[in-house]
Amino acid sequence: MSDAAQGCTGPGPAVTEAEVEALVRGICFKTGPPRRLGVEVEWLVHELRTPRLPVTPERLEAAYAALRTVHLDSALTVEPGGQLELSSQPAASLMECVGTVRADLDAVRAVLREDGLGLVGLGHDPWHTPRRFLREPRYDAMEACLDRTGPAGRAMMCASASVQVCLDAGYEEPGPLGHVRRWWLAHQLGAVLVAAFANSPLAGHRPTGWLSTRQLRWTQIGAGRAGGPVLDSDPRGAWARHVLDAPVMCVRQDGGPWDVPEGLTFREWTRSGVPRAPTREDLDYHVSTLFPPVRPRGHLELRMIDAQPGDDGWVVPLAVTTALFDDPEAAETAYRAVKPLAERTCGRPAPHNPLWRDAARGGLADPELREVAAVCFAAALRALPGLGATTDVVEAVAAHQDRYVARGRCPADDTLDALRAGAVAAHLRGTPGAHPRTTPHSPGTPTSYAHGARPHGKDTS
């Protein structure tokens, strides 16, 4: 949610509508052999002993001040509600990415433990009312903009957490690893990932009726801000049109609050030049305020996965997604498996279509999603050794398959079971049933992870 370009920039040359389209088309898909990946892991920060108690802003500020003194290879940023995010550097392999982020998370947890705080892997805070921790012009403007569509925007800003997997766009040429295929696959497989890793069934102490309340919140924000483009054979053109026709969140300025126009698209802004003509910097900033489930930033950001339970839960969606995109045989298997699901989208962009809503509401209780997930997990397990995955990572994926996919369940079902047993707090602390990392992957073990880093430079919107 944070962004590298938060400050205002000096005046630059205005960009025309045609220039914007050319710029977006030129930078959204950087094609070539898939070689790098990254992960961004977001976490809720809670009291270790009593996670129902809110953490005061003063304690959060002290904890983050301490963390800024720790050397980390990943970029550490803070989300508007005080959530913690680690974003990996571009990694040359799955295990390089996993190893780096694991080490950084160990260091972060050690610092937080000294103040009685811990990281909780949930897609949506089950107890606390969304409360803003960061007070900056960007987030003031974002809050004002999102409030126009209801309370979902504040929940997304301040009470949600995810695992974002970042992958190279793929080859220019057609085929299983071509960028057109990977773009399409990301949107159809995305619904399966939502269902398999749904982990946010509660808000305000109660079930919401959705296994991924986080995904529900994104849907409620609206298609202009949090929707994807129509899928067609020209991803570059589709994304460029989407960027131009998306509403402008804010117009930055050096002094005072930022303007929050209502109903002004970037296309209209280039034509009117009001309140001032947009620049290249404004375009870059505008793109960072769009939150589709798959965002092309040269590489592909897959943004639909809830934060996962346990210390290493984030490793499973990272490993599965990497295998299904970067191994040619697994990619072809996944493509064939998800192809029938496209009919359930009714031609509407994600996540505002029936397929994505079914995935977020019911998870793998949906028979078709369960069947496709089983095929995809099996393909990922076959591919992971060839991608250099270690035994513990393969076992973690197999454990998720056995515990959840094979049973038509997802991590959210564990939370609901704990709620019925009156043991949600213990469940979130990892007890009973928690295992150390040396044995984190046995069937029945809750795993919790965060979401991680970008492969091609930091931009945490």
Side-chain angles (χ1 to χ4, degrees):
M1 180 76 54
S2 56
D3 193 277
Q6 290 188 24
C8 300
T9 58
V15 288
T16 65
E17 182 179 340
E19 288 170 336
V20 168
E21 182 166 4
L23 283 167
V24 174
R25 291 178 68 101
I27 64 176
C28 58
F29 293 91
K30 300 294 186 184
T31 53
R35 290 182 177 139
R36 297 187 295 175
L37 69 150
V39 65
E40 298 177 12
V41 288
E42 291 175 343
W43 301 85
L44 304 175
V45 180
H46 281 188
E47 295 277 357
L48 272 177
R49 294 185 179 276
T50 314
R52 289 174 184 259
L53 294 178
V55 181
T56 65
E58 292 76 17
R59 287 187 67 198
L60 278 178
E61 185 56 53
Y64 286 129
L67 284 172
R68 292 185 191 104
T69 69
V70 177
H71 171 74
L72 301 171
D73 289 320
S74 305
L76 185 148
T77 51
V78 181
E79 298 297 299
Q83 309 98 303
L84 182 147
E85 177 180 86
L86 283 182
S87 299
S88 73
Q89 298 298 321
S93 70
L94 171 63
M95 292 316 302
E96 178 186 327
C97 184
V98 169
T100 299
V101 176
R102 272 180 173 171
D104 287 342
L105 282 168
D106 285 344
V108 167
R109 289 192 181 96
V111 171
L112 293 178
R113 271 197 305 270
E114 293 179 2
D115 196 29
L117 300 177
L119 301 178
V120 174
L122 279 172
H124 192 283
D125 194 305
W127 294 310
H128 305 127
T129 301
R131 178 190 61 179
R132 197 137 65 87
F133 171 68
L134 297 180
R135 296 290 170 181
E136 299 173 4
R138 167 181 170 87
Y139 299 122
D140 293 342
M142 181 181 289
E143 186 175 271
C145 175
L146 297 179
D147 278 352
R148 291 170 178 162
T149 57
R154 294 196 185 202
M156 177 274 292
M157 291 173 63
C158 302
S160 69
S162 70
V163 178
Q164 293 183 27
V165 179
C166 300
L167 302 164
D168 279 328
Y171 288 100
E172 187 70 27
E173 297 78 15
L177 303 186
H179 77 283
V180 175
R181 170 77 69 86
R182 285 161 75 88
W183 174 247
W184 185 91
L185 178 62
H187 287 85
Q188 310 305 337
L189 181 63
V192 181
L193 298 175
V194 169
F197 297 107
N199 188 36
S200 51
L202 307 180
H205 303 256
R206 295 188 179 93
T208 63
W210 294 68
L211 296 182
S212 179
T213 301
R214 174 183 165 273
Q215 190 60 54
L216 168 65
R217 299 294 184 240
W218 282 116
T219 304
Q220 291 170 330
I221 287 169
R225 182 69 52 206
V230 174
L231 296 180
D232 61 25
S233 59
D234 178 19
R236 290 187 175 95
W239 179 246
R241 290 190 296 274
H242 184 74
V243 169
L244 277 164
D245 292 329
V248 173
M249 176 175 282
C250 57
V251 178
R252 298 173 297 161
Q253 54 190 25
D254 291 324
W258 295 357
D259 291 334
V260 183
E262 187 165 6
L264 176 69
T265 67
F266 204 89
R267 188 187 303 277
E268 292 164 343
W269 192 11
T270 62
R271 293 175 177 178
S272 69
V274 175
R276 60 170 175 78
T279 65
R280 168 67 185 270
E281 290 76 18
D282 290 316
L283 171 62
D284 293 341
Y285 194 80
H286 171 64
V287 171
S288 80
T289 68
L290 304 180
F291 310 117
V294 183
R295 186 164 64 174
R297 303 298 300 272
H299 58 282
L300 301 181
E301 298 173 358
L302 278 68
R303 308 167 55 88
M304 72 288 295
I305 302 167
D306 281 358
Q308 294 297 287
D311 285 354
D312 281 345
W314 55 272
V315 174
V316 177
L318 171 63
V320 169
T321 306
T322 300
L324 295 178
F325 276 81
D326 287 359
D327 179 87
E329 184 176 342
E332 183 65 23
T333 298
Y335 172 75
R336 293 179 182 276
V338 302
K339 201 169 184 181
L341 295 176
E343 295 182 7
R344 291 175 59 178
T345 68
C346 300
R348 301 175 198 163
H352 299 86
N353 64 52
L355 173 65
W356 279 68
R357 284 197 297 271
D358 291 345
R361 187 189 295 272
L364 294 184
D366 182 295
E368 191 175 17
L369 284 168
R370 176 181 177 179
E371 180 180 354
V372 172
V375 172
C376 289
F377 267 71
L381 284 167
R382 290 193 297 271
L384 280 170
L387 296 175
T390 54
T391 300
D392 70 306
V393 169
V394 175
E395 288 178 350
V397 174
H400 192 102
Q401 180 190 48
D402 292 343
R403 175 168 184 155
Y404 299 117
V405 177
R407 303 177 187 181
R409 289 172 60 88
C410 60
D413 291 306
D414 289 348
T415 301
L416 291 172
D417 289 347
L419 178 70
R420 286 187 282 268
V424 173
H427 170 68
L428 296 186
R429 288 197 302 268
T431 56
H435 296 252
R437 182 175 291 160
T438 53
T439 58
H441 311 309
S442 305
T445 299
T447 24
S448 98
Y449 307 106
H451 95 242
R454 301 186 184 197
H456 305 349
K458 174 69 181 151
D459 164 40
T460 56
S461 317

